[in-house]
């Protein structure tokens, strides 16, 4: 898939600037100050999204790599991803497991099956388990708490990350007290109108943001983030995303290209591009030098070497898939989502070789976020 075919809505707003401001000084200022005034950020982002900015993009990636190396060395942290249910009560327009997708073949894993995945991951050397799923109310809050405490009791040297959507303060607190260490909840977009373009009326940006602040105040290492090139995204909505993340100060930031799913209302929308995702990864690295930034599955879905490119743009985490083979194809968030080959935790050796080839080594530790300094 080429970037040209894959330009999404953003290129339209990314007009080539006739009067080129000096972009290298702006990138240096971003690296030194970890932020830029809004108009400078807008001009830099617009330029970096333009086809002729390749040299400047390379300069940006180099700076982001250097910044990541200063905190993390040439290490890539691993997280074992267990997609334990694809039932969801929500109807997000972009998502393949939305409630309204009657073609999705639904599954949920039992506590024993989830623990079995953790055993397999632990045997492979993994020390973080990410339990992700739709908002599936068939697991009661106490079921989730029991699951977390069993995992922590069986694998006391491991971190548990939850990623199961918007829930009450009581649920988040219960799970934290059961031992959950981290929580991933992408904000998806920080722009109100854009949020409504992506979600039905019963979902609100305010509630999602409140959940993120709540998670942080409880003490979770918290992850936010967004899709790149989602329908309706513009340079201005991206500026709002960058400003929101600066304010939230998340320990983790997950971004990846939007990819359409054939059985959703966005089936005919264009996918987000590799270039835009890499530029934003690098900008986020410079704005949040110590954040954990995954090079996502979506990135490796749009290009064979996407995961490596994400690391070379300043990412420092990958999340190999630990879900049982029998359900992997059912957690289909978007068309052609990769889940086998080097995406599978069982092929960590291949992953290690691929990272070695670009000068990185896999770190098998828990990979906690360093204390946050902005
Ligand atoms: N239900 C939880 C939640 O809402 O946070 C976690 C599961 S949800 C499927 C995980 C993430 O998948 C979402 O935050 C979204 O950014 C991403 N996602 C869903 N559909 C996608 C698509 N079509 N392309 C790229 N990413 C997608």
């Amino acid at each position: 898939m080429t970037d040209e075919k894959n330009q999404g809505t953003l290129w339209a707003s990314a007009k080539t600037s006739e009067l080129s401001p000096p972009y290298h000084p702006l990138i240096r200022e971003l690296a030194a100050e970890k932020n830029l005034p809004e108009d400078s950020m807008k001009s830099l982002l617009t330029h970096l999204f333009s086809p002729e900015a390749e040299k400047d993009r390379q300069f940006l990636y180099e700076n982001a790599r250097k910044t990541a190396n200063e905190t993390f060395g040439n290490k890539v942290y691993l997280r074992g991803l267990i997609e334990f249910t694809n039932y969801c009560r929500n109807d997000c327009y972009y998502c393949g497991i939305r409630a309204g997708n009657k073609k999705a073949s639904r599954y949920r894993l039992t506590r024993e099956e989830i623990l079995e995945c953790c055993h397999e991951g632990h045997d492979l050397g993994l020390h973080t388990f990410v339990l992700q799923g739709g908002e599936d109310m068939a697991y009661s809050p106490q079921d989730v708490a029991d699951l977390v405490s069993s995992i922590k009791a069986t694998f006391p040297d491991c971190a548990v990350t939850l990623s199961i959507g918007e829930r009450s303060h009581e649920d988040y607190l219960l799970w934290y007290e059961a031992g959950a260490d981290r929580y991933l909840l992408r904000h998806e977009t920080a722009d109100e109108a854009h949020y409504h373009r992506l979600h039905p009326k019963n979902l609100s940006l305010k509630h999602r943001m409140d959940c993120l602040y709540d998670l942080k105040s409880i003490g979770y290492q918290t992850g936010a983030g967004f899709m790149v090139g989602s329908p309706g995204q513009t340079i201005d909505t991206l500026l709002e995303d960058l400003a929101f993340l600066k304010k939230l100060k998340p320990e983790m930031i997950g971004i990846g290209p939007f990819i359409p799913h054939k059985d959703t209302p966005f089936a005919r929308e264009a996918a987000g591009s590799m270039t835009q995702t890499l530029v934003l990864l690098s900008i986020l690295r410079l704005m949040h030098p110590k954040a954990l930034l995954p090079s996502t599955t979506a990135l490796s879905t749009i290009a064979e070497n996407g995961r490596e490119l994400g690391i070379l743009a300043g990412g420092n985490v990958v999340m190999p898939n630990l879900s049982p083979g029998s359900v992997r194809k059912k957690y289909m968030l978007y068309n052609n989502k990769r889940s086998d080959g080097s995406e599978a935790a069982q092929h960590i050796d291949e992953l290690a070789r691929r990272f070695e080839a670009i000068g990185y080594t896999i770190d098998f530790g828990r990979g906690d976020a360093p204390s946050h300094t902005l």
Side-chain angles (χ1 to χ4, degrees):
M1 188 179 306
T2 65
D3 267 0
E4 282 71 31
K5 273 195 197 146
N6 190 19
Q7 284 169 350
T9 46
L10 286 180
W11 289 108
S13 56
K15 293 254 159 49
T16 309
S17 41
E18 278 103 42
L19 289 174
S20 260
Y23 292 107
H24 286 206
L26 275 187
I27 293 170
R28 282 196 203 96
E29 183 183 339
L30 174 60
E33 304 299 327
K34 306 180 185 89
N35 210 347
L36 284 178
E38 195 185 277
D39 54 344
S40 304
M41 186 70 93
K42 183 166 185 167
S43 130
L44 181 63
L45 206 50
T46 305
H47 170 67
L48 290 169
F49 280 180
S50 69
E52 70 272 25
E54 190 52 36
K55 278 199 181 133
D56 293 334
R57 282 195 286 272
Q58 291 305 331
F59 184 70
L60 174 80
Y61 303 152
E62 272 163 37
N63 274 269
R65 265 200 306 276
K66 194 163 144 266
T67 300
N69 268 25
E70 280 162 11
T71 307
F72 302 103
N74 62 343
K75 299 230 159 38
V76 179
Y77 294 138
L78 291 185
R79 278 82 170 88
L81 180 61
I82 304 169
E83 297 158 335
F84 71 98
T85 173
N86 70 352
Y87 282 87
C88 190
R89 63 177 169 176
N90 291 331
D91 231 351
C92 310
Y93 302 142
Y94 45 84
C95 186
I97 63 167
R98 65 197 299 266
N101 180 8
K102 301 296 174 221
K103 292 194 182 158
S105 161
R106 305 285 171 176
Y107 72 91
R108 51 173 73 93
L109 300 184
T110 63
R111 192 181 117 111
E112 289 66 35
E113 286 169 325
I114 297 169
L115 278 163
E116 187 46 45
C117 295
C118 297
H119 273 289
E120 191 174 354
H122 200 251
D123 289 347
L124 290 167
L126 299 177
H127 285 89
T128 291
F129 303 118
V130 180
L131 305 184
Q132 194 185 82
E135 290 191 16
D136 181 358
M137 306 320 275
Y139 301 88
S140 71
Q142 194 56 49
D143 289 338
V144 176
D146 291 345
L147 177 63
V148 170
S149 47
S150 315
I151 297 174
K152 294 294 283 195
T154 318
F155 308 101
D157 54 344
C158 292
V160 170
T161 305
L162 293 175
S163 178
I164 48 178
E166 297 175 39
R167 301 293 290 259
S168 67
H169 173 78
E170 290 69 33
D171 291 355
Y172 287 154
L173 190 60
L174 178 73
W175 302 336
Y176 186 73
E177 286 172 350
D181 304 272
R182 308 178 187 144
Y183 204 102
L184 302 178
L185 185 76
R186 288 183 175 182
H187 65 284
E188 313 295 1
T189 172
D191 179 87
E192 190 76 41
H194 187 210
Y195 197 86
H196 286 297
R197 172 91 198 272
L198 302 178
H199 302 97
K201 281 208 168 54
N202 65 315
L203 297 176
S204 82
L205 175 59
K206 180 177 181 310
H207 189 257
R208 201 146 177 107
M209 286 181 169
D210 285 349
C211 285
L212 281 164
Y213 286 113
D214 197 20
L215 289 162
K216 280 216 78 163
S217 73
I218 289 172
Y220 283 96
Q221 292 173 42
T222 304
F226 56 90
M227 294 173 290
V228 177
S230 63
Q233 188 173 70
T234 63
I235 298 277
D236 288 323
T237 66
L238 284 170
L239 293 176
E240 290 180 76
D241 290 319
L242 297 181
F244 170 67
L245 290 169
K246 203 66 187 169
K247 191 166 151 224
L248 178 70
K249 303 186 183 62
E251 282 78 14
M252 304 167 286
I253 304 174
I255 66 164
F258 159 75
I259 304 174
H261 183 290
K262 62 182 177 35
D263 301 315
T264 62
F266 289 165
R268 294 179 175 280
E269 300 287 344
S273 86
M274 173 63 77
T275 301
Q276 290 165 9
T277 308
L278 296 178
V279 164
L280 284 160
L281 252 179
S282 288
I283 286 182
L284 287 166
R285 168 55 69 212
L286 295 179
M287 294 179 78
H288 303 263
K290 300 193 174 183
L292 297 157
L293 293 186
S295 180
T296 55
T297 308
L299 206 48
S300 67
T301 298
I302 62 167
E304 162 62 18
N305 61 345
R307 219 180 357 228
E308 289 92 323
L309 294 177
I311 298 299
L312 292 172
N316 71 319
V317 174
V318 288
M319 299 168 68
N321 198 311
L322 263 184
S323 312
S326 56
V327 301
R328 241 175 237 180
K329 294 260 176 270
K330 297 184 180 175
Y331 199 81
M332 204 41 82
L333 305 181
Y334 42 80
N335 296 338
N336 307 316
K337 175 170 164 273
R338 283 174 70 117
S339 59
D340 39 25
S342 59
E343 277 306 326
Q346 290 75 7
H347 296 147
I348 281 175
D349 291 352
E350 184 192 334
L351 202 60
R353 273 195 300 279
R354 292 176 71 136
F355 287 133
E356 265 160 36
I358 58 164
Y360 286 76
T361 55
I362 281 178
D363 186 301
F364 281 93
R366 270 174 54 121
D368 282 295
S371 60
H372 214 289
T373 44
L374 283 172

